[in-house]
Coordinates of all heavy atoms in Angstrom, one line a residue:
Chain A
E42 N 71.8 81.0 17.7 CA 70.7 80.1 18.3 C 70.4 80.7 19.7 O 71.3 80.8 20.6 CB 71.2 78.7 18.4 CG 70.0 77.8 18.8 CD 70.3 76.3 18.5 OE1 70.3 75.9 17.3 OE2 70.4 75.5 19.5
I43 N 69.2 81.0 19.9 CA 68.7 81.5 21.2 C 67.5 80.7 21.7 O 66.6 80.5 20.8 CB 68.4 83.0 21.2 CG1 69.7 83.8 20.9 CG2 67.8 83.5 22.5 CD1 69.6 85.3 20.8
H44 N 67.5 80.2 22.9 CA 66.4 79.4 23.4 C 66.2 78.2 22.4 O 65.0 77.7 22.3 CB 65.1 80.1 23.5 CG 65.2 81.5 24.2 ND1 65.9 81.7 25.4 CD2 64.7 82.7 23.9 CE1 65.8 82.9 25.7 NE2 65.1 83.6 24.8
G45 N 67.3 77.7 21.8 CA 67.1 76.6 20.9 C 66.5 77.0 19.5 O 66.2 76.1 18.7
L46 N 66.3 78.3 19.3 CA 65.7 78.7 18.0 C 66.7 79.4 17.2 O 67.6 80.1 17.6 CB 64.6 79.7 18.3 CG 63.4 79.2 19.2 CD1 62.5 80.3 19.6 CD2 62.7 78.1 18.5
Y57 N 61.2 92.2 7.2 CA 60.2 93.0 7.9 C 60.1 94.4 7.3 O 59.1 95.0 7.2 CB 60.4 93.1 9.4 CG 60.4 91.8 10.1 CD1 60.8 91.7 11.5 CD2 60.0 90.6 9.5 CE1 60.8 90.5 12.2 CE2 59.9 89.4 10.2 CZ 60.4 89.3 11.6 OH 60.4 88.2 12.3
M62 N 56.3 95.9 7.8 CA 55.8 95.7 9.2 C 56.9 95.9 10.2 O 56.7 95.5 11.4 CB 55.2 94.3 9.3 CG 56.1 93.1 9.1 SD 56.4 92.8 7.3 CE 54.8 92.0 6.8
F71 N 58.8 93.3 14.8 CA 57.5 93.8 14.3 C 57.1 95.0 15.0 O 57.3 95.2 16.2 CB 56.5 92.7 14.5 CG 56.5 91.6 13.5 CD1 57.3 90.4 13.7 CD2 55.8 91.6 12.3 CE1 57.3 89.4 12.8 CE2 55.9 90.6 11.3 CZ 56.6 89.5 11.6
D74 N 54.9 95.0 18.5 CA 55.0 93.6 19.0 C 55.0 93.7 20.5 O 55.3 94.7 21.2 CB 56.3 92.9 18.5 CG 56.1 91.4 18.4 OD1 55.1 90.9 18.8 OD2 57.0 90.8 17.8
T75 N 54.6 92.5 21.1 CA 54.6 92.4 22.6 C 55.7 91.4 22.9 O 56.3 90.8 22.1 CB 53.2 91.8 23.0 OG1 52.9 90.7 22.2 CG2 52.1 92.9 22.9
H77 N 55.5 88.9 25.7 CA 55.0 88.1 26.8 C 55.8 86.8 26.9 O 56.1 86.4 28.0 CB 53.5 87.8 26.5 CG 52.7 89.0 26.4 ND1 52.7 90.0 27.4 CD2 51.7 89.4 25.5 CE1 51.8 90.9 27.1 NE2 51.2 90.6 26.0
T78 N 56.1 86.2 25.8 CA 56.9 84.9 25.8 C 58.3 85.2 26.5 O 58.7 84.4 27.4 CB 57.1 84.3 24.4 OG1 55.9 84.2 23.7 CG2 57.8 83.0 24.5
Q79 N 58.9 86.3 26.1 CA 60.2 86.6 26.6 C 60.2 86.8 28.1 O 61.1 86.4 28.9 CB 60.8 87.8 25.9 CG 62.1 88.2 26.4 CD 62.9 89.0 25.4 OE1 63.3 88.5 24.4 NE2 63.3 90.2 25.7
M81 N 58.2 85.6 30.2 CA 58.0 84.3 30.9 C 59.3 83.4 30.8 O 59.6 82.8 31.8 CB 56.8 83.5 30.1 CG 56.2 82.4 31.0 SD 55.5 83.0 32.5 CE 55.9 81.6 33.5
L82 N 60.0 83.5 29.7 CA 61.3 82.8 29.6 C 62.3 83.4 30.6 O 63.0 82.6 31.2 CB 61.9 83.0 28.2 CG 61.3 82.1 27.1 CD1 61.6 82.6 25.7 CD2 61.7 80.6 27.3
Q84 N 61.4 84.5 33.5 CA 61.0 83.9 34.8 C 61.5 82.4 34.9 O 61.8 82.0 36.0 CB 59.4 83.9 34.8 CG 58.9 83.5 36.2 CD 57.4 83.7 36.4 OE1 56.8 84.6 35.8 NE2 56.8 82.8 37.2
Y85 N 61.7 81.8 33.7 CA 62.2 80.4 33.8 C 63.8 80.4 33.9 O 64.4 79.4 33.7 CB 61.8 79.6 32.5 CG 60.3 79.2 32.5 CD1 59.6 79.2 31.4 CD2 59.7 78.8 33.7 CE1 58.3 78.8 31.4 CE2 58.4 78.4 33.7 CZ 57.7 78.4 32.6 OH 56.4 78.0 32.5
G86 N 64.3 81.6 34.1 CA 65.8 81.7 34.3 C 66.6 81.8 33.0 O 67.8 81.7 33.0
C87 N 65.9 82.0 31.8 CA 66.6 82.2 30.6 C 67.2 83.6 30.4 O 66.6 84.5 30.9 CB 65.7 81.9 29.4 SG 65.0 80.3 29.4
G94 N 60.3 89.5 20.2 CA 58.9 89.8 20.4 C 58.1 88.6 20.1 O 58.6 87.6 19.5
D95 N 56.8 88.6 20.5 CA 55.9 87.5 20.3 C 55.7 87.1 18.8 O 55.8 86.0 18.4 CB 54.6 87.7 21.0 CG 54.8 87.8 22.5 OD1 55.7 87.1 23.1 OD2 54.1 88.6 23.2
R96 N 55.4 88.2 18.0 CA 55.2 87.9 16.6 C 56.5 87.5 15.9 O 56.5 86.6 15.1 CB 54.6 89.2 15.9 CG 53.2 89.5 16.3 CD 52.8 90.9 15.9 NE 51.5 91.3 16.4 CZ 51.2 91.7 17.6 NH1 52.2 91.9 18.5 NH2 50.0 92.0 18.0
D97 N 57.5 88.2 16.3 CA 58.9 87.9 15.8 C 59.2 86.4 16.1 O 59.8 85.7 15.2 CB 59.9 88.8 16.5 CG 61.3 88.8 15.9 OD1 61.4 88.5 14.7 OD2 62.2 89.2 16.6
L98 N 58.9 85.9 17.2 CA 59.1 84.5 17.6 C 58.5 83.5 16.6 O 59.1 82.4 16.4 CB 58.7 84.2 19.0 CG 59.7 84.5 20.1 CD1 59.0 84.5 21.5 CD2 60.8 83.4 20.1
A99 N 57.4 83.9 16.1 CA 56.8 83.0 15.1 C 57.8 82.7 13.9 O 57.9 81.6 13.4 CB 55.5 83.6 14.5
T100 N 58.5 83.8 13.5 CA 59.5 83.6 12.4 C 60.5 82.6 12.8 O 60.9 81.7 12.1 CB 60.1 85.0 12.1 OG1 59.1 85.9 11.8 CG2 61.1 84.9 10.9
I102 N 60.5 80.3 15.3 CA 59.9 79.0 15.5 C 59.7 78.3 14.2 O 60.1 77.1 14.0 CB 58.6 79.1 16.3 CG1 58.8 79.5 17.7 CG2 57.8 77.8 16.3 CD1 57.6 79.9 18.5
Y103 N 59.1 79.0 13.2 CA 58.9 78.4 11.9 C 60.2 78.0 11.2 O 60.4 76.9 10.7 CB 58.2 79.4 11.0 CG 57.9 78.9 9.6 CD1 56.8 78.2 9.3 CD2 58.8 79.1 8.6 CE1 56.5 77.7 8.1 CE2 58.6 78.6 7.3 CZ 57.4 77.9 7.1 OH 57.2 77.4 5.8
T105 N 63.2 77.5 12.6 CA 63.9 76.4 13.3 C 63.2 75.0 12.9 O 63.9 74.1 12.7 CB 63.8 76.6 14.8 OG1 64.3 77.9 15.1 CG2 64.6 75.6 15.6
E106 N 61.9 75.0 12.9 CA 61.2 73.7 12.6 C 61.6 73.3 11.2 O 61.9 72.1 11.0 CB 59.7 73.9 12.8 CG 59.0 72.5 12.6 CD 57.5 72.6 12.6 OE1 57.0 73.7 12.4 OE2 56.9 71.5 12.8
Q107 N 61.5 74.2 10.3 CA 61.8 73.8 8.9 C 63.3 73.4 8.6 O 63.5 72.5 7.9 CB 61.4 75.0 7.9 CG 60.0 75.4 8.0 CD 59.0 74.3 7.8 OE1 59.1 73.5 6.9 NE2 57.9 74.3 8.6
R109 N 65.1 72.0 10.9 CA 65.3 70.7 11.5 C 64.7 69.6 10.7 O 65.2 68.5 10.7 CB 64.6 70.7 12.9 CG 65.4 71.5 14.0 CD 65.5 70.7 15.3 NE 66.5 71.5 16.1 CZ 66.2 72.5 16.9 NH1 65.0 72.8 17.1 NH2 67.2 73.0 17.6
E120 N 60.1 80.9 1.8 CA 58.8 80.7 2.3 C 58.3 81.8 3.2 O 57.2 82.4 3.1 CB 58.7 79.4 3.1 CG 58.9 78.2 2.2 CD 59.2 76.9 2.9 OE1 59.1 76.9 4.2 OE2 59.4 75.8 2.3
L121 N 59.2 82.3 4.1 CA 58.8 83.3 5.0 C 58.6 84.7 4.3 O 57.6 85.3 4.5 CB 60.0 83.6 6.0 CG 60.1 82.5 7.1 CD1 61.5 82.6 7.8 CD2 59.0 82.6 8.1
Q124 N 55.3 84.7 2.5 CA 54.1 84.9 3.4 C 54.1 86.3 3.9 O 53.0 86.8 4.3 CB 54.2 83.9 4.6 CG 54.1 82.4 4.2 CD 52.8 82.1 3.5 OE1 51.8 82.8 3.6 NE2 52.8 81.0 2.8
L125 N 55.2 87.0 4.0 CA 55.2 88.4 4.4 C 54.9 89.3 3.2 O 54.8 90.5 3.4 CB 56.6 88.7 5.0 CG 56.9 88.1 6.3 CD1 58.4 88.4 6.7 CD2 56.0 88.5 7.5
Chain B
E42 N 54.5 67.0 19.6 CA 55.4 68.0 19.0 C 54.6 68.9 18.1 O 54.0 68.4 17.1 CB 56.6 67.3 18.3 CG 57.6 68.4 17.9 CD 59.0 67.8 17.5 OE1 59.7 67.3 18.4 OE2 59.4 67.9 16.4
I43 N 54.6 70.1 18.3 CA 53.9 71.1 17.5 C 54.9 72.3 17.2 O 55.5 72.8 18.1 CB 52.7 71.6 18.2 CG1 51.7 70.5 18.3 CG2 52.0 72.8 17.4 CD1 50.4 70.8 19.0
H44 N 55.0 72.6 15.9 CA 56.0 73.7 15.5 C 57.4 73.3 15.9 O 58.2 74.2 16.3 CB 55.6 75.1 16.0 CG 54.2 75.4 15.8 ND1 53.5 75.3 14.7 CD2 53.3 76.0 16.7 CE1 52.2 75.7 14.8 NE2 52.1 76.1 16.1
G45 N 57.7 72.0 16.1 CA 59.0 71.6 16.5 C 59.2 71.7 18.0 O 60.3 71.6 18.5
L46 N 58.1 72.1 18.7 CA 58.2 72.2 20.2 C 57.6 71.1 20.9 O 56.5 70.6 20.5 CB 57.5 73.6 20.6 CG 58.1 74.8 20.0 CD1 57.3 76.0 20.3 CD2 59.6 75.0 20.4
Y57 N 50.2 74.7 35.9 CA 49.6 76.1 35.9 C 48.4 76.1 36.9 O 48.2 77.2 37.5 CB 49.0 76.4 34.5 CG 50.0 76.5 33.4 CD1 49.6 76.6 32.1 CD2 51.4 76.5 33.7 CE1 50.5 76.6 31.0 CE2 52.3 76.5 32.6 CZ 51.9 76.6 31.3 OH 52.8 76.7 30.3
M62 N 48.1 80.1 38.1 CA 48.0 81.0 37.0 C 47.3 80.4 35.8 O 47.3 81.0 34.7 CB 49.5 81.4 36.5 CG 50.3 80.3 36.1 SD 51.0 79.3 37.4 CE 52.3 80.4 38.1
F71 N 47.8 79.9 30.3 CA 47.9 80.9 31.3 C 46.7 81.9 31.3 O 46.1 82.1 30.2 CB 49.1 81.8 31.0 CG 50.4 81.2 31.5 CD1 51.1 80.4 30.7 CD2 50.9 81.4 32.8 CE1 52.3 79.8 31.1 CE2 52.0 80.9 33.2 CZ 52.8 80.1 32.4
D74 N 46.3 85.1 28.7 CA 47.4 84.9 27.8 C 46.9 85.5 26.4 O 45.7 85.7 26.2 CB 47.8 83.5 27.6 CG 49.3 83.3 27.2 OD1 49.9 84.3 27.0 OD2 49.8 82.2 27.2
T75 N 47.9 85.9 25.6 CA 47.6 86.4 24.3 C 48.1 85.4 23.3 O 48.8 84.4 23.6 CB 48.4 87.7 24.0 OG1 49.8 87.6 24.5 CG2 47.8 88.9 24.9
H77 N 49.7 86.1 20.0 CA 50.3 86.8 18.9 C 51.2 85.9 18.0 O 51.2 85.9 16.8 CB 51.1 88.0 19.4 CG 50.2 89.0 20.1 ND1 49.0 89.5 19.6 CD2 50.4 89.6 21.4 CE1 48.5 90.3 20.5 NE2 49.3 90.4 21.6
T78 N 52.0 85.1 18.8 CA 52.9 84.2 18.0 C 52.1 83.2 17.2 O 52.4 83.0 16.0 CB 53.8 83.4 19.0 OG1 54.4 84.3 19.9 CG2 54.8 82.6 18.3
Q79 N 51.0 82.7 17.7 CA 50.2 81.7 17.0 C 49.6 82.3 15.8 O 49.5 81.7 14.7 CB 49.2 81.1 17.9 CG 48.2 80.2 17.2 CD 47.6 79.2 18.1 OE1 48.3 78.4 18.8 NE2 46.3 79.2 18.2
M81 N 50.7 84.7 14.0 CA 51.8 84.9 13.0 C 52.1 83.6 12.4 O 52.4 83.5 11.2 CB 52.9 85.6 13.7 CG 53.9 86.2 12.8 SD 53.2 87.6 11.8 CE 54.0 87.3 10.3
L82 N 52.2 82.5 13.2 CA 52.5 81.2 12.7 C 51.4 80.8 11.7 O 51.7 80.1 10.7 CB 52.5 80.2 13.8 CG 53.9 80.2 14.6 CD1 53.7 79.4 15.9 CD2 55.0 79.6 13.8
Q84 N 49.8 82.8 9.8 CA 50.2 83.5 8.6 C 51.3 82.9 7.8 O 51.3 82.9 6.6 CB 50.6 85.0 8.9 CG 50.6 85.9 7.7 CD 50.9 87.3 8.0 OE1 50.4 87.8 9.1 NE2 51.6 88.0 7.2
Y85 N 52.2 82.2 8.5 CA 53.2 81.4 7.8 C 52.7 80.1 7.3 O 53.5 79.2 6.9 CB 54.4 81.2 8.8 CG 55.2 82.5 9.0 CD1 55.8 82.7 10.3 CD2 55.4 83.4 8.0 CE1 56.5 83.9 10.5 CE2 56.2 84.6 8.2 CZ 56.7 84.8 9.5 OH 57.5 85.9 9.7
G86 N 51.4 79.8 7.4 CA 50.9 78.6 6.9 C 50.9 77.4 7.8 O 50.7 76.3 7.4
C87 N 51.2 77.6 9.1 CA 51.3 76.5 10.0 C 49.9 76.2 10.5 O 49.0 77.0 10.6 CB 52.1 76.9 11.3 SG 53.8 77.3 10.9
G94 N 49.3 79.8 23.7 CA 49.4 81.2 24.0 C 50.8 81.7 24.1 O 51.8 80.9 24.1
D95 N 51.0 83.0 24.1 CA 52.4 83.5 24.1 C 53.2 83.1 25.4 O 54.3 82.7 25.3 CB 52.4 85.1 24.0 CG 51.8 85.5 22.6 OD1 52.0 84.7 21.6 OD2 51.1 86.5 22.5
R96 N 52.5 83.3 26.5 CA 53.2 82.9 27.8 C 53.4 81.4 27.9 O 54.5 80.9 28.3 CB 52.4 83.4 29.0 CG 52.4 84.9 29.1 CD 51.4 85.4 30.2 NE 51.3 86.9 30.2 CZ 50.6 87.6 29.4 NH1 49.9 87.1 28.4 NH2 50.6 88.9 29.5
D97 N 52.4 80.7 27.5 CA 52.5 79.2 27.4 C 53.6 78.8 26.5 O 54.3 77.8 26.9 CB 51.1 78.8 26.9 CG 50.9 77.3 27.0 OD1 51.5 76.7 27.9 OD2 50.1 76.7 26.3
L98 N 53.9 79.5 25.4 CA 54.9 79.1 24.5 C 56.3 79.1 25.2 O 57.2 78.3 24.8 CB 54.9 80.0 23.3 CG 54.1 79.5 22.1 CD1 53.9 80.6 21.1 CD2 54.7 78.3 21.5
A99 N 56.5 80.0 26.2 CA 57.7 80.1 26.9 C 58.0 78.7 27.5 O 59.2 78.2 27.5 CB 57.7 81.2 27.9
T100 N 57.0 78.1 28.1 CA 57.1 76.7 28.7 C 57.6 75.7 27.7 O 58.5 75.0 27.9 CB 55.8 76.3 29.3 OG1 55.3 77.3 30.2 CG2 56.0 75.0 30.1
I102 N 59.0 76.3 24.7 CA 60.4 76.7 24.2 C 61.5 76.2 25.2 O 62.5 75.6 24.8 CB 60.4 78.2 23.9 CG1 59.6 78.6 22.7 CG2 61.9 78.6 23.6 CD1 59.4 80.1 22.5
Y103 N 61.2 76.5 26.5 CA 62.2 76.2 27.5 C 62.3 74.6 27.5 O 63.4 74.1 27.5 CB 61.7 76.7 28.9 CG 62.7 76.3 30.0 CD1 63.8 77.2 30.2 CD2 62.5 75.2 30.7 CE1 64.7 76.8 31.2 CE2 63.4 74.9 31.7 CZ 64.5 75.7 32.0 OH 65.4 75.4 33.0
T105 N 61.7 72.3 25.3 CA 62.3 71.8 24.1 C 63.8 72.0 24.1 O 64.5 71.1 23.8 CB 61.6 72.5 22.9 OG1 60.2 72.3 22.9 CG2 62.1 71.8 21.6
E106 N 64.2 73.2 24.5 CA 65.6 73.5 24.5 C 66.3 72.6 25.4 O 67.4 72.0 25.2 CB 65.9 75.0 24.8 CG 67.4 75.3 24.6 CD 67.7 76.7 25.1 OE1 67.0 77.3 25.8 OE2 68.9 77.1 24.7
Q107 N 65.8 72.4 26.6 CA 66.4 71.6 27.7 C 66.5 70.2 27.3 O 67.5 69.5 27.5 CB 65.7 71.8 29.0 CG 65.7 73.3 29.5 CD 67.1 73.9 29.6 OE1 68.1 73.3 30.0 NE2 67.2 75.2 29.2
R109 N 66.5 69.0 24.3 CA 67.5 68.9 23.2 C 68.9 68.9 23.7 O 69.8 68.3 23.2 CB 67.3 70.0 22.2 CG 66.1 69.9 21.3 CD 66.4 70.1 19.8 NE 65.2 69.6 19.1 CZ 64.2 70.3 18.7 NH1 64.1 71.6 19.1 NH2 63.2 69.8 18.1
E120 N 62.4 71.8 37.0 CA 62.8 73.2 36.9 C 61.7 74.1 36.6 O 61.5 75.2 37.2 CB 63.8 73.3 35.7 CG 65.2 72.6 36.0 CD 66.0 72.4 34.8 OE1 65.7 72.9 33.7 OE2 67.1 71.8 34.9
L121 N 60.8 73.7 35.7 CA 59.6 74.6 35.4 C 58.7 74.8 36.6 O 58.3 75.9 36.9 CB 58.9 73.9 34.2 CG 59.5 74.0 32.8 CD1 58.8 73.1 31.8 CD2 59.4 75.5 32.3
Q124 N 60.1 77.2 39.1 CA 60.0 78.6 38.7 C 58.6 79.1 38.8 O 58.3 80.3 39.0 CB 60.5 78.8 37.3 CG 62.0 78.5 37.1 CD 62.9 79.4 38.0 OE1 62.5 80.4 38.4 NE2 64.2 78.9 38.2
L125 N 57.6 78.2 38.6 CA 56.2 78.5 38.8 C 55.8 78.6 40.2 O 54.6 78.9 40.5 CB 55.3 77.6 38.0 CG 55.5 77.6 36.4 CD1 54.7 76.5 35.8 CD2 55.0 79.0 35.9

Side-chain angles (χ1 to χ4, degrees):
Chain A
E42 186 163 295
I43 293 179
H44 314 311
L46 300 174
Y57 297 170
M62 62 281 286
F71 281 91
D74 209 352
T75 49
H77 301 313
T78 306
Q79 175 155 303
M81 199 62 217
L82 281 165
Q84 190 173 326
Y85 287 144
C87 297
D95 295 325
R96 289 167 185 83
D97 193 22
L98 270 165
T100 306
I102 290 172
Y103 180 87
T105 305
E106 187 186 16
Q107 301 305 320
R109 287 228 168 87
E120 293 169 2
L121 287 167
Q124 296 299 340
L125 291 172
Chain B
E42 186 164 295
I43 293 179
H44 314 312
L46 300 173
Y57 298 169
M62 63 282 286
F71 281 91
D74 210 354
T75 47
H77 300 312
T78 307
Q79 174 155 304
M81 199 62 217
L82 282 164
Q84 191 173 326
Y85 288 145
C87 297
D95 296 324
R96 289 168 186 81
D97 192 22
L98 269 166
T100 306
I102 290 172
Y103 181 86
T105 305
E106 187 187 16
Q107 302 305 320
R109 287 228 167 87
E120 293 169 2
L121 286 167
Q124 297 299 340
L125 292 172

